[in-house]
């Protein structure tokens, strides 16, 4: 799967996506809900599901870089499967809905 390959890349290694700025603000804070220790504290938990052309990426992490990485993963993955009009030349809307 294209998106799973992107998830496996080193956090921070994906190029900027044109819609990055719409996914998360530059700075934000997350509530502290629990303290995780051991091996689990070094990884992030994620689930990616798709159905036809609907994508959902759930990520459990308090690391802002991981969250940004996962946002980029989803955007780059969608555009890898469904290229934007700028690439294909078609007149329809971008496959990533901006709402």
């Amino acid at each position: 799967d294209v998106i799973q390959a992107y998830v496996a890349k080193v956090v921070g290694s994906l190029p900027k996506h044109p819609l990055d700025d719409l996914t998360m603000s530059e700075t934000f804070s997350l509530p502290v809900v629990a303290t995780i220790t051991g091996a689990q504290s070094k990884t992030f938990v994620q689930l990616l599901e798709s159905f036809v052309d609907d994508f959902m990426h759930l990520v459990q992490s308090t690391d802002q870089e991981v969250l940004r990485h996962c946002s980029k993963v989803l955007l780059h993955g969608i555009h890898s499967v469904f290229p934007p009009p700028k690439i294909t030349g078609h007149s329809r809307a971008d496959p990533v809905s901006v709402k």
Side-chain angles (χ1 to χ4, degrees), residues 18-50:
L19 301 175
D20 275 351
D21 295 336
L22 300 177
T23 62
M24 299 170 62
S25 61
E26 189 62 35
T27 58
F28 60 92
S29 60
L30 298 169
V32 176
V33 293
T35 302
I36 300 171
T37 60
Q40 193 176 18
S41 67
K42 307 258 187 281
T43 62
F44 62 92
V45 179
Q46 60 90 27
L47 169 69
L48 176 71
E49 294 288 332
S50 65

Side-chain angles (χ1 to χ4, degrees), residues 74-88:
L74 193 58
L75 292 170
H76 282 291
I78 291 169
H79 277 160
S80 291
V81 176
F82 303 105
K86 180 171 85 172
I87 302 295
T88 63

Side-chain angles (χ1 to χ4, degrees), residues 1-3 6 17-19 48-56 73-90 92-97:
D1 181 55
V2 173
I3 296 177
Y6 285 137
H17 188 278
L19 301 175
L48 176 71
E49 294 288 332
S50 65
F51 178 74
V52 186
D53 62 353
D54 293 322
F55 294 84
M56 177 74 64
V73 162
L74 193 58
L75 292 170
H76 282 291
I78 291 169
H79 277 160
S80 291
V81 176
F82 303 105
K86 180 171 85 172
I87 302 295
T88 63
H90 67 73
R92 291 176 288 183
D94 192 299
V96 176
S97 298

Side-chain angles (χ1 to χ4, degrees), residues 11 44 59-71:
V11 172
F44 62 92
V59 181
Q60 183 177 348
S61 177
T62 57
D63 185 326
Q64 292 185 14
E65 290 307 308
V66 167
L67 297 173
R68 281 191 181 85
H69 174 74
C70 291
S71 293

